[in-house]
Amino acid sequence: MPATVSSVRDNTGDHSLMILRRCSIVLLLLSLFLSVDLAAQGRRPPFQNNPITVISDGVFLKGYEVFVIEDRPCMTLRQIRRLFGGRLRWGNVSRNVIYERQGMPIEFQMDASSVTVAGRPVAVGMALRYWFRDLYVPLDLLLSQEFQEFCENKIVWDAGKQVLTVEPQPSVSSPSFYTYPNKSRVVVEIGPRVNYRVMSFRGGLYHVRFFGGRSLGQEQLEIKDGLIETVRLSAHARSADLELKISSKAEEPNIHLLEAPRRLAIDVVSKRPGIPNLVSKKTKGRGEIPPVPGMKGREALEPSLSPGVEEEGIDYAPSSPLLALSPIKTIVVDAGHGGKDAGAIGPHGTLEKDINLQLALTLAKILKREKRFKVVLTRDDDTFISLQERANISNNAKADLFVSIHCNAALNRRTHGFEAYYLSEDATDPSAAAVARRENAVVELEGIQGKVREELRDLLWSMARTETLNESSQLCGFVVSQAEKRLPAVNRGAKQASFHVLRGTDMPAILVESGFISHPKEEARLCSQRYRNKVSDAIFAGLLEYESKKIQSLQSKTLQSTRGN
């Protein structure tokens, strides 16, 4: 019995010891957790912070936030470096920080209310705050002209939506190309300090180099319009190269500088007899332009013109005798939705009406640059306009073309792509009918109900002439074809459906669905001005192709009439 009692006592002691050990481990882990949590709390800045949406070159970026200090939104310097690249050098003794990007410095002095950007002082409105190995910088700095030149980006802060938009501003833009009745033209916008030179023209390959220019990367466009085969833009450390593959049917290109905005235009005309070369010969070939100061030897052979100078004798496209035959004088550009009608809404909260307006303004700017079209906008701000009023604006302006710009949407967020529509009582397919129903839903906001709406529908349809519908079909096809060449998006083709906004127009009219705002990546693209430029370019190029066909038709009829007499 004593042995048994002793054994029980030993077991009880071992059990108690085990419990004590377990309690000790739990307490140790708890203390470690609390110490880590307290340390983390100590590192958190004592400022109000809010997550924000950052859109950089058409891509939504996660993990960014602003901190409110003295009622000013601020970002940390480490966030800024992550967004724009570069490196940071911290001076623990001097209490300053150097932010370097592409060899250009910004100097921050802790507790100072200004910073030095590439040698220029910039006020930021409050003293810089330092907290746990990071510096808190007001957004005033990012929005300053000096910083935007430093990072080569246009930066816009929407305080209401808490959206920071970053648009790259390369000194050498993406190339645009247009086909006129008498020539093909490639255009590249360049910065004020960029010079250019024709490097060579051999075997149909025309090579231009931009000195001191930066492009966003490699781009290649398949043109194949009979004069230009391809256009390729490539980036280098301190320059960019543009290469044009010219058809054997084309003359040697003519190159000249245009202003407002500053851009290089390369015109290519046909060797075919009877097609006039309407461009000045002064810039053709080599060595015709004065040398660029500071360049020597071979580099001085083919420099750019001086900034602000346009070559004399250039017969720009609008004054072409062929273009004088154009029946297109007035174009109405319609930004869909607006005001109380927001249209579709993207996953990140982007409103269709806002994208439509930006696209319409961009297209109108391109058209006005031609200096031969009267351009009418149905709206140039966030205003609600009824579908019937949009048609009335077109008819009262005696427009020759009507282009309504929209963004698409679908329940399936994987659906994406570009498409264009012309008017028809019968839709191409169920998806086209669904798009028309969505775009026509705005009628409910106009207060038109029941029988009155049906009577209006029948009246508007009776106004549509067969000839106008055929012309609309051709225009729609040209726009879709140009979009396929220019946009990194699925081409969903030219379709037909019964859109109310097209019914009341008495001229060729199309409705462009620029992309699916319901698709997250396409929503981000549509938020990028660079992508909107490409979409507007595609629409404009489609209009030019339609115009060229009309001019050719008029020429053919004139020739037949002359032969008949």
Side-chain angles (χ1 to χ4, degrees):
M1 289 296 293
T4 303
V5 171
S6 176
S7 176
V8 170
R9 287 176 179 174
D10 290 344
N11 290 338
T12 303
D14 291 344
H15 183 66
S16 300
L17 184 61
M18 186 179 298
I19 292 175
L20 287 173
R21 286 176 178 174
R22 289 178 178 177
C23 289
S24 300
I25 292 172
V26 170
L27 290 173
L28 178 62
L29 292 174
L30 182 61
S31 64
L32 287 172
F33 174 78
L34 290 174
S35 64
V36 170
D37 186 57
L38 290 172
Q41 289 184 13
R43 295 177 185 179
R44 290 173 186 165
F47 316 123
Q48 176 189 343
N49 66 304
N50 303 308
I52 64 171
T53 299
V54 175
I55 308 173
S56 179
D57 194 21
V59 178
F60 285 106
L61 303 180
K62 298 179 180 180
Y64 289 89
E65 56 187 346
V66 295
F67 300 84
V68 181
I69 306 175
E70 297 181 11
D71 295 326
R72 291 179 180 273
C74 301
M75 288 182 73
T76 68
L77 190 53
R78 295 186 189 277
Q79 283 190 113
I80 294 172
R81 186 204 62 79
R82 179 157 58 98
L83 182 57
F84 298 104
R87 63 172 186 163
L88 298 174
R89 290 192 288 116
W90 297 83
N92 296 325
V93 177
S94 59
R95 291 179 57 81
N96 71 341
V97 186
I98 305 295
Y99 172 34
E100 287 185 336
R101 183 180 182 276
Q102 296 184 355
M104 301 285 286
I106 297 182
E107 184 175 354
F108 299 86
Q109 190 70 38
M110 297 179 194
D111 300 324
S113 57
S114 67
V115 302
T116 305
V117 181
R120 294 179 291 177
V122 177
V124 293
M126 57 164 274
L128 302 176
R129 302 294 179 86
Y130 178 82
W131 183 267
F132 200 79
R133 301 167 69 179
D134 213 342
L135 202 61
Y136 291 76
V137 181
L139 289 185
D140 300 53
L141 173 64
L142 274 65
L143 302 179
S144 68
Q145 180 181 346
E146 291 82 358
F147 184 86
Q148 295 188 37
E149 290 177 358
F150 165 82
C151 68
E152 297 179 299
N153 282 273
K154 180 181 179 181
I155 304 169
V156 178
W157 168 244
D158 188 327
K161 297 179 180 178
Q162 295 285 283
V163 175
L164 186 72
T165 304
V166 179
E167 291 278 359
Q169 301 290 299
S171 52
V172 178
S173 75
S174 298
S176 299
F177 68 92
Y178 312 108
T179 303
Y180 293 91
N182 62 310
K183 64 185 174 185
S184 296
R185 166 169 285 186
V186 174
V187 179
V188 177
E189 293 189 18
I190 56 178
R193 292 185 289 274
V194 176
N195 291 313
Y196 68 88
R197 172 166 84 85
V198 178
M199 302 298 290
S200 63
F201 181 44
R202 300 187 188 93
L205 192 64
Y206 194 69
H207 179 195
V208 180
R209 175 159 294 170
F210 298 98
F211 295 95
R214 183 185 69 90
S215 64
L216 289 180
Q218 311 288 335
E219 292 187 64
Q220 180 158 322
L221 304 175
E222 300 291 332
I223 299 178
K224 298 181 179 179
D225 63 356
L227 295 177
I228 302 176
E229 297 294 325
T230 60
V231 174
R232 182 172 182 268
L233 182 68
S234 55
H236 305 288
R238 292 183 176 83
S239 65
D241 285 350
L242 181 71
E243 293 179 333
L244 277 67
K245 182 64 177 177
I246 307 299
S247 167
S248 59
K249 300 176 182 178
E251 293 277 3
E252 182 175 343
N254 295 278
I255 185 168
H256 47 278
L257 192 69
L258 302 172
E259 294 295 334
R262 188 169 187 256
R263 60 202 188 279
L264 190 70
I266 302 173
D267 290 330
V268 182
V269 300
S270 175
K271 292 179 179 178
R272 189 175 58 184
I275 303 297
N277 185 346
L278 300 174
V279 183
S280 167
K281 303 292 184 180
K282 289 188 178 183
T283 56
K284 185 173 178 179
R286 303 172 60 87
E288 299 285 346
I289 310 173
V292 171
M295 289 188 178
K296 297 179 180 180
R298 181 177 172 82
E299 290 184 347
L301 289 178
E302 294 174 359
S304 72
L305 299 171
S306 301
V309 176
E310 182 171 341
E311 177 70 300
E312 296 180 1
I314 300 282
D315 191 353
Y316 185 48
S319 61
S320 161
L322 281 176
L323 293 180
L325 297 175
S326 173
I328 301 172
K329 309 298 180 185
T330 303
I331 301 174
V332 171
V333 180
D334 171 46
H337 305 283
K340 61 184 178 181
D341 175 22
I345 302 176
H348 292 87
T350 306
L351 303 182
E352 180 192 353
K353 66 175 183 177
D354 295 337
I355 300 298
N356 296 344
L357 180 59
Q358 292 302 316
L359 279 167
L361 292 173
T362 302
L363 177 59
K365 182 179 178 180
I366 294 173
L367 289 167
K368 289 177 181 178
R369 193 180 292 171
E370 287 285 293
K371 301 178 182 177
R372 61 192 180 92
F373 297 125
K374 178 183 177 182
V375 182
V376 178
L377 286 158
T378 56
R379 68 180 180 98
D380 58 6
D381 57 17
D382 188 18
T383 303
F384 176 79
I385 301 176
S386 69
L387 299 180
Q388 181 57 45
E389 187 178 350
R390 294 170 192 265
N392 290 341
I393 291 172
S394 303
N395 295 330
N396 293 338
K398 294 181 170 52
D400 301 297
L401 295 177
F402 176 85
V403 181
S404 187
I405 298 178
H406 291 256
C407 298
N408 222 328
L411 293 176
N412 185 348
R413 289 191 174 182
R414 290 178 295 180
T415 306
H416 60 287
F418 178 98
E419 59 191 17
Y421 288 84
Y422 60 96
L423 182 63
S424 174
E425 185 68 11
D426 300 317
T428 303
D429 51 41
S431 67
V435 173
R437 284 194 299 270
R438 184 177 64 80
E439 300 295 0
N440 293 340
V442 66
V443 174
E444 302 295 340
L445 297 176
E446 299 173 13
I448 303 175
Q449 300 295 329
K451 183 179 179 181
V452 176
R453 188 191 312 156
E454 291 302 316
E455 291 176 352
L456 173 62
R457 178 177 177 271
D458 294 339
L459 174 63
L460 293 177
W461 177 252
S462 67
M463 294 172 62
R465 299 196 301 264
T466 301
E467 180 183 355
T468 300
L469 296 180
N470 290 338
E471 294 292 327
S472 300
S473 171
Q474 292 181 33
L475 175 60
C476 191
F478 290 136
V479 168
V480 166
S481 174
Q482 292 296 333
E484 187 169 19
K485 295 179 180 180
R486 299 159 189 267
L487 301 180
V490 172
N491 192 315
R492 297 170 61 88
K495 301 182 179 182
Q496 51 190 4
S498 180
F499 291 93
H500 288 324
V501 73
L502 301 182
R503 283 178 174 274
T505 56
D506 193 22
M507 73 285 301
I510 63 171
L511 185 145
V512 174
E513 296 284 3
S514 57
F516 280 77
I517 201 170
S518 54
H519 186 276
K521 288 186 178 179
E522 208 144 84
E523 176 193 13
R525 279 180 180 172
L526 291 167
C527 289
S528 163
Q529 184 59 47
R530 191 159 73 100
Y531 187 73
R532 292 196 295 265
N533 289 342
K534 291 180 180 291
V535 173
S536 301
D537 256 356
I539 298 171
F540 173 57
L543 301 184
L544 286 182
E545 189 173 1
Y546 171 81
E547 179 189 45
S548 295
K549 297 299 182 184
K550 297 293 289 184
I551 291 174
Q552 288 177 12
S553 177
L554 287 172
Q555 281 185 304
S556 177
K557 290 178 181 178
T558 302
L559 182 60
Q560 291 177 2
S561 176
T562 303
R563 287 175 177 174
N565 294 333

